[in-house]
């Protein structure tokens, strides 16, 4: 049966043969066994509802085994036999181009070159799921192949509830992931309800089909390292950057360090992850001796040339040795998976990597103790180096949050805040998000690298034109991104679909998108999917990350992300998504995003203008209301340009008035 027919078939009519476990690819960690006996039965009952009753006897035994062994029911047997990758859009079956574009993006997220644990349908971050199981994948693709422009597909955490009548301008797909009653949003609730098969952790771009491989994070990390260096003075040249993690996202750190121009040491406990990044050319060398790693880095620093070193070992071993050796570090951070500290995101220093994995599965309570002690040592070493002048920033992996929960000496003197800023508080927030700059991205649906080249050139031309009249406040961002797009092709970061990312504000995003749509209309390029990372101006409410530079107390609310999702939906997005979790962990963040197909039509012109304008200005308005000066500047500019935009502006009060009014208390 050919590819199109297999997609159209959905759940196959004959029971496919069981699949052998493929040990050549990376698999998700075995999840902890959390279900009671009754819940265990319920999970199997839930899984079987996808299949005809004649198969139940066979599948019940198999699913029970999967659940026991892996902690989840992935339905491995139903993984399709065709190759998983984003095909050119014309190769998808279907009645509407928008649905075909979505299929392409789904397949990209599951491509083994792109996805972290492809057979468990995990794209990145250890638990960032596209679907919970292969039945959901098959049904979703079938629905998309049948959908018309008068229908919307509704996705409940990976489960395709079905096609519902709607209209041409409605989103073709509405995705929610991990929406929980707030009191049931603790990490163990994810374990339980995901094991039951009723919810999933969609991360950000995993469960929203907008992941573009490591390029997105390389760009974001490069911008962060560049701006962190500017913050402490000068350029990254000759600076030493120490951090941890060479996994899905964190693996971008050494490459970004090299692009920015500094020397970096990145610790990684897992030899598979370290050598994989080395083979891919993302890190220059792997050294397992801590002293040698430090000496090598210092030699390159002295030369003033960029170099990236992977230290194969625990990050705490490295930090403690840097302290003992009296070594000066300029920039420090961490990108272990602390959003997932008890299930393999962060490894303790007291035992070896393999032993730690065993303890994690057999004695979770002891594992937790070891991790928390490691976090306390981790923070203590960082405190010493910071006192010696290092600039440390939390890179959105919940390091500070978990260290504080472990009782580490990480609280600020006022006892309320934390000792160190998150990279959003100091860097991304005031320098990018408050001005509307965020991770705009696009995918060429032809799969043709020449289309990507053309879009790079179009985007560059548009930005250079905008920059000529840009205010001084945003000149640096414009310049960094023009430089990036000029170099992007050379840096060869495309893995999977032909995609590109850059940071742009509302004006840049709208003008670039319009120029793409024009080029499509003229037949110069094929249709393009627009999107963005959820880690953006308006898409994410996350008090320790994206909204950590909001100081009016509203950083613990999630109205912005929800409003964004809804507003994008009725302004023309092709698909919209809203997620609990993502980045810093289940229950800690709400985030949303969109996808939009540009097909060269007038409809697409109308939609892109309306939707992208809202998608950025919603967040600027909120950031401005929180009294952020950069956002007040940006929203005033936006109101000048668009008379239909009217935003409530804050009146700032002089502190002396508050102090006087409260002095008697
Ligand atoms: N700021 C951002 O823009 C941003 C973007 C993406 C991800 N993140 C966050 O960064 C974290 C990492 O993401 P990822 O996709 O790379 O996850 P990942 O799980 O693929 O990689 C983390 C790596 O850290 C290693 N590690 C764990 N404990 C260690 C220790 N003590 N010492 C040395 N190495 C250790 C693991 O072996 C793993 O390879 C996540 O929490 C994620 O949410 C932040």
């Amino acid at each position: 049966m050919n590819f199109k027919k297999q997609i159209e078939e959905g759940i196959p009519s004959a029971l496919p043969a069981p699949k052998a476990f493929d040990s050549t690819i990376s698999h998700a960690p075995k999840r902890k066994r959390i279900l009671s006996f009754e819940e265990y039965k319920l999970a199997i009952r839930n899984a079987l509802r996808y299949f005809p009753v004649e198969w139940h006897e066979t599948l019940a035994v198999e699913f029970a085994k999967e659940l026991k062994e892996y902690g989840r029911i992935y339905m491995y047997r139903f993984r399709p036999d065709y190759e998983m990758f984003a095909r050119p859009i014309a190769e998808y079956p279907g009645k509407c181009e928008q649905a075909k574009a979505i299929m392409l993006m789904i397949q990209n997220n599951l491509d083994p070159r792109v996805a972290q644990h492809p057979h468990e349908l995990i794209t990145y971050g250890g638990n960032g799921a596209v679907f919970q199981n292969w039945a959901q994948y098959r049904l979703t693709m079938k629905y998309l192949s049948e959908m018309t422009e008068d229908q919307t597909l509704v996705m409940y955490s990976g489960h395709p509830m079905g096609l519902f009548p709607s209209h041409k301008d409605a989103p073709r797909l509405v995705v929610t992931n991990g929406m929980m009653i707030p009191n049931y949003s603790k990490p163990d609730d994810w374990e339980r309800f995901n094991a039951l098969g009723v919810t999933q952790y969609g991360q950000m771009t995993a469960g929203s089909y907008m992941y573009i491989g490591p390029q997105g994070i390389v760009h974001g990390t490069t911008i962060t390292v560049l701006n962190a260096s500017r913050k402490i003075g000068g350029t990254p040249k000759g600076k030493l950057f120490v951090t941890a993690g060479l996994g899905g996202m964190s693996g971008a750190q050494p490459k970004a360090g090299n692009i920015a121009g500094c020397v970096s040491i990145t610790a990684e406990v897992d030899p598979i992850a370290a050598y994989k990044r080395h083979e891919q050319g993302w890190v220059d060398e792997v050294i397992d001796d801590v002293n040698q790693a430090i000496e090598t880095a210092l030699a390159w620093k002295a030369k003033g040339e960029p170099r990236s070193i992977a230290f194969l070992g625990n990050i705490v071993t490295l930090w403690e040795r840097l302290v003992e050796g009296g070594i000066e570090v300029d920039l420090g951070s961490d990108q272990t998976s602390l959003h997932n500290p008890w299930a393999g995101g962060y490894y303790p220093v007291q035992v070896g990597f393999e032993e730690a994995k065993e303890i994690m599965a057999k004695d979770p309570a002891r594992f937790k103790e070891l991790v928390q002690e490691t976090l306390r040592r981790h923070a203590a070493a960082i405190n010493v180096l910071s006192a010696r002048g290092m600039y440390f920033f939390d890179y959105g992996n919940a390091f500070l949050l978990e260290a504080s929960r472990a009782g580490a000496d990480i609280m600020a003197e006022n006892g309320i805040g934390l000792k160190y800023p998150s990279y959003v508080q100091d860097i991304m927030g005031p320098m990018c998000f408050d001005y509307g700059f965020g991770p705009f991205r696009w995918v060429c649906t032809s799969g043709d690298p020449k289309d990507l080249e053309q879009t790079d050139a179009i985007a560059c031309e548009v930005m250079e034109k905008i920059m000529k009249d840009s205010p001084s406040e945003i000149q640096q961002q414009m310049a960094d991104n023009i430089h990036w797009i000029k170099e992007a092709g050379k840096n060869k970061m495309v893995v999977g679909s032909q995609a590109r990312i850059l940071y742009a504000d509302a004006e840049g995003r709208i003008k670039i998108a319009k120029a793409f749509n024009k080029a499509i209309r003229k037949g110069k390029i094929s249709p393009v999917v627009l999107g963005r990372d959820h880690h953006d101006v308006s898409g994410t409410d996350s008090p320790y990350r994206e909204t950590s530079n909001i100081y009016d107390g509203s950083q613990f609310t999630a109205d912005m992300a929800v409003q964004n999702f809804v507003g994008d939906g009725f302004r023309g997005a092709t698909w919209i998504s809203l997620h609990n979790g993502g980045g810093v962990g289940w229950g800690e963040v709400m985030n949303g995003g969109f996808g939009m197909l540009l097909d060269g039509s007038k409809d697409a012109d109308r939609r892109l203008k309306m939707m992208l304008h809202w998608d950025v200005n919603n967040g600027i308005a909120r950031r401005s209301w929180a009294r952020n000066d950069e956002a007040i500047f940006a929203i005033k500019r936006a109101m000048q340009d668009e008379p239909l935009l009217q935003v409530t502006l804050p009146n700032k009060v002089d502190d002396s008035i508050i102090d006087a009014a409260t002095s008697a208390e």
Side-chain angles (χ1 to χ4, degrees), residues 116 124-126 203 217 221 244-251 267-270 273 313-316 334-340 344-349 353 374 378 395-398 423 533 535 545-546 582-585:
Q116 187 184 16
Y124 69 92
Q203 267 283 5
I217 188 69
T221 312
L246 286 172
M249 295 282 181
S250 45
E268 171 56 64
V269 279
D270 180 354
N314 198 292
I315 181 61
V316 174
D334 190 85
Q335 227 179 319
T336 54
S337 273
L338 272 162
H339 70 276
N340 179 28
Y346 182 86
Y347 284 90
V349 67
F353 179 54
T374 304
H378 196 155
Y395 196 42
N397 62 336
Y423 71 115
D533 192 359
H535 173 264
R545 210 167 92 169
E546 285 78 354
V584 290

Side-chain angles (χ1 to χ4, degrees), residues 399-519:
F399 168 71
L400 290 178
L401 182 66
E402 286 306 333
S404 70
R405 285 174 178 165
D409 174 16
I410 211 89
M411 298 309 285
E413 274 173 21
N414 65 11
I416 305 169
L418 297 163
K419 249 188 194 142
Y420 302 101
S422 91
Y423 71 115
V424 174
Q425 281 177 302
D426 255 22
I427 304 168
M428 279 302 178
M431 295 184 184
C432 299
F433 292 164
D434 286 354
Y435 287 116
F437 280 83
F440 181 59
R441 58 180 58 171
W442 64 89
V443 172
C444 299
T445 63
S446 60
D448 184 350
K450 287 202 196 90
D451 270 8
L452 186 60
E453 240 176 73
Q454 284 209 56
T455 53
D456 282 351
I458 294 171
C460 187
E461 198 185 312
V462 170
M463 286 196 298
E464 282 179 326
K465 214 163 153 193
I466 297 176
M467 192 176 162
K468 283 193 190 132
D469 300 317
S470 293
S472 59
E473 283 84 347
I474 61 169
Q475 286 279 327
Q476 185 69 66
Q477 292 310 325
M478 297 296 301
D480 283 350
N481 283 286
I482 289 170
H483 176 71
W484 164 265
I485 197 78
K486 283 186 172 158
E487 298 286 308
K490 276 184 236 156
N491 283 327
K492 294 199 187 328
M493 281 168 306
V494 170
V495 179
S497 60
Q498 294 294 321
R500 185 66 74 222
I501 183 168
L502 55 80
Y503 266 45
D505 62 2
E507 181 186 7
R509 300 184 205 201
I510 292 170
K511 288 187 172 163
I512 292 170
K514 267 184 109 170
F516 288 170
N517 205 38
K518 193 170 158 196

Side-chain angles (χ1 to χ4, degrees), residues 6 15 25 51 81 86 94-95 102 116 126 134 174 191-192 220 274 344 386 403 456 468 485-486 507 512 525 573 587:
Q6 287 185 67
L15 185 62
I25 63 150
F51 305 102
D81 291 323
K95 299 176 184 152
I102 298 168
Q116 187 184 16
W134 287 103
V174 175
E191 296 275 7
R192 172 170 291 107
S386 299
D456 282 351
K468 283 193 190 132
I485 197 78
K486 283 186 172 158
E507 181 186 7
I512 292 170
I525 52 173

Side-chain angles (χ1 to χ4, degrees), residues 107-119:
Q107 287 208 309
N108 191 56
N109 269 22
L110 294 171
D111 180 337
R113 293 169 303 166
V114 173
Q116 187 184 16
H117 309 305
H119 291 186

